Amino acid sequence: MTHRLRRSAALLAALAAAPLSATTTASAAPAEEARVLTGALADGAAYRLEVPPAWNGTVVLYSHGLRFPGEDNPPETAASDASRQWMLDNGYALAGSSYAGTGWAVEEAVDDQLGTLDAFTARVGAPTRTIALGESLGGLVTTALVERHPERFDGGLSLCGLHAGGPALWDSYLDGAYVLRTLLPESGAVRITGVDDPLGNLDAAQRILSDAAATAAGRARIALAAAVMQVPGAVDPLAPFPADAAGRAAARLAWMTESFPVFAFAERGELEARAGGNPSTNVGVDYERMLRDSEQRSDVRALYRAAGLDLDDDLATLAAAPRVAADPVARTYLSAHGGLTNAPAKPLLTLHGTADGLVPSSHERAYAERAGRPELLRQAFVDRPGHCTFTSAEIVSAFGALQERLDSGVWHVKPAFLNQRAAELGPELNTGAGIPVAPAFVRHHPLAFPRA
């Protein structure tokens, strides 16, 4: 991976979980170190098993998020150092694999995670309870594991998962890229599908977006693209939500110029290569209706007025522009390796941020509206900007709620209860980048997902 994509990936990580989860540590060390076992699966994926001295019989299988091609790809066993240590200190064994591939590696991940469980049984022993846990792309993998292999799992905790499914996610990314490519000057040099040079395409997109962000007209059109994707008006997980239109516009601009291009204009190339073509479509999409249904429509109209642009003219341009059809083979691949049945056969708890610009909380509503067994599903939300920006205390609190559901058959996921439980875990787990962060579980009603 070149320096530019490394820099983009690092920026994405800075906007995501690292400030609130990965840098935290636990204060209480176990009396005896956990036993660590490593190895490799038949396809080359590495795995890691961690077993505490007083193992309680439960193993937690952790599925990590997307890693870009060329990025380091070690196995991981937890979403953060502090949540990992808490689980080991409380008797939980941990397991996880690297997956045999990077990028949209759902196909490899499902098989490799099951293989890691087989390795755990062979080297440690059969667990009495198995929990799937993962974040972002790993959240999608977690839900897929619970849906497809209920005989192997007792329950799942999915963090910031892609629960509208892979086809819907990439259709939405296509919407944003399509609006930008259609309306921004000089954007014809950027490919929104058929990406055969991901790094070159990303370079071109970032230059065009940087130029556009420097003008009122460009900022207005970027805001329109953000609106059809439901990009939130907040981005900094350690700052208050912006209270004014200018602050919301600046946050959406940051999402669209810093994080979004890495996926829409670079990672799409990796996805297309493994899928055998373009899996996304916007045939029949009415962007005027999508804006009309968006809570951002007044902000977009204000930016258009300030730029002296006619929004209706741009909407007419979008309506008249040629649409993009999906390659049927590629669409089938993405549906098979990224689609969900929405019917978990074991208890599933999802945790999502209210202001996630990469995977908006409407993904959870899309999943809930199609849930085949709603009594097995509960959804919790944290009121904080960013993608996967949970504190270790919030992760542990949600994990505890899932364990109680498995033990008693009753869900205890009211925000006040979860906030109290997280606060009681102490300051070491309630931090981000060394700064105290209060638990932020909240009642939240996501918007409808913009795509059917």
Side-chain angles (χ1 to χ4, degrees):
M1 184 168 59
T2 69
H3 173 69
R4 177 172 290 276
L5 189 50
R6 286 186 187 278
R7 187 173 64 214
S8 298
L11 177 58
L12 176 62
L15 292 172
L20 293 180
S21 294
T23 59
T24 56
T25 58
S27 61
E32 186 179 341
E33 291 293 329
R35 180 163 55 117
V36 177
L37 303 171
T38 60
L41 302 175
D43 61 4
Y47 68 79
R48 181 181 176 92
L49 317 174
E50 301 181 51
V51 186
W55 179 35
N56 62 17
T58 295
V59 61
V60 181
L61 180 70
Y62 177 71
S63 299
H64 66 71
L66 185 146
R67 291 173 180 160
F68 297 103
E71 191 175 4
D72 290 342
N73 188 31
E76 293 185 9
T77 58
S80 69
D81 292 342
S83 64
R84 168 186 170 273
Q85 193 63 64
W86 183 93
M87 290 183 186
L88 290 173
D89 290 349
N90 284 272
Y92 295 98
L94 307 177
S97 75
S98 61
Y99 318 153
T102 53
W104 190 264
V106 177
E107 180 178 10
E108 299 97 311
V110 170
D111 289 341
D112 290 339
Q113 292 294 78
L114 294 175
T116 298
L117 282 184
D118 292 339
F120 186 93
T121 298
R123 300 189 66 179
V124 179
T128 57
R129 177 177 288 178
T130 302
I131 303 300
L133 191 158
E135 62 179 344
S136 194
L137 183 73
L140 173 67
V141 171
T142 291
T143 300
L145 287 168
V146 173
E147 287 186 350
R148 301 177 193 177
H149 301 280
E151 75 285 356
R152 303 292 301 271
F153 297 92
D154 296 282
L157 172 58
S158 176
L159 312 177
C160 45
L162 289 47
H163 283 128
L169 174 78
W170 285 98
D171 283 350
S172 181
Y173 285 173
L174 176 64
D175 287 334
Y178 177 85
V179 170
L180 295 172
R181 206 274 304 272
T182 303
L183 298 179
L184 290 183
E186 309 299 328
S187 59
V190 176
R191 290 190 175 187
I192 61 174
T193 63
V195 179
D196 55 5
D197 178 11
L199 298 175
N201 203 49
L202 176 61
D203 279 340
Q206 288 177 324
R207 286 196 301 271
I208 290 167
L209 286 166
S210 178
D211 290 344
T215 69
R219 291 190 295 272
R221 285 164 170 153
I222 292 172
L224 175 57
V228 302
M229 294 175 60
Q230 296 180 337
V231 173
V235 67
D236 186 348
L238 297 177
F241 282 75
D244 61 329
R248 294 192 297 270
R252 292 179 186 124
L253 189 66
W255 279 114
M256 295 300 293
T257 58
E258 295 170 356
S259 302
F260 170 70
V262 180
F263 292 89
F265 302 111
E267 173 54 27
R268 177 174 286 279
E270 187 277 334
L271 172 64
E272 290 181 334
R274 66 165 56 236
N278 163 45
S280 304
T281 179
N282 68 346
V283 173
V285 172
D286 183 343
Y287 290 105
E288 181 178 4
R289 181 198 62 77
M290 290 176 74
L291 177 62
R292 188 169 60 247
D293 293 344
S294 169
E295 62 175 7
Q296 301 176 30
R297 58 188 177 277
S298 60
D299 286 353
V300 172
R301 289 194 177 279
L303 288 168
Y304 265 77
R305 286 194 299 270
L309 293 176
D310 189 321
L311 176 58
D312 292 336
D313 283 350
D314 273 2
L315 291 172
T317 297
L318 289 171
R323 292 297 193 257
V324 177
D327 181 289
V329 172
R331 187 74 169 189
T332 298
Y333 177 90
L334 185 55
S335 296
H337 305 294
L340 294 170
T341 67
N342 299 83
K346 295 294 176 67
L348 176 69
L349 176 60
T350 70
L351 182 61
H352 216 104
T354 60
D356 187 335
L358 287 178
V359 186
S361 64
S362 57
H363 274 256
E364 301 300 343
R365 178 165 168 177
Y367 191 83
E369 287 178 343
R370 300 193 298 267
R373 296 187 61 184
E375 74 279 5
L376 293 177
L377 175 68
R378 289 295 183 274
Q379 298 176 314
F381 297 93
V382 167
D383 199 26
R384 187 178 298 119
H387 180 55
C388 306
T389 51
F390 311 119
T391 65
S392 295
E394 288 161 347
I395 295 170
V396 169
S397 296
F399 179 80
L402 176 62
Q403 301 311 302
E404 290 179 354
R405 168 61 178 80
L406 297 178
D407 291 338
S408 69
V410 179
W411 288 107
H412 296 291
V413 292
K414 290 184 177 179
F417 175 80
L418 293 175
N419 282 328
Q420 179 181 349
R421 166 177 275 163
E424 291 172 350
L425 290 168
E428 294 84 0
L429 275 71
N430 285 282
T431 62
I435 300 172
V437 176
F441 289 99
V442 67
R443 288 181 62 85
H444 175 63
H445 300 285
L447 299 171
F449 193 78
R451 286 292 207 112

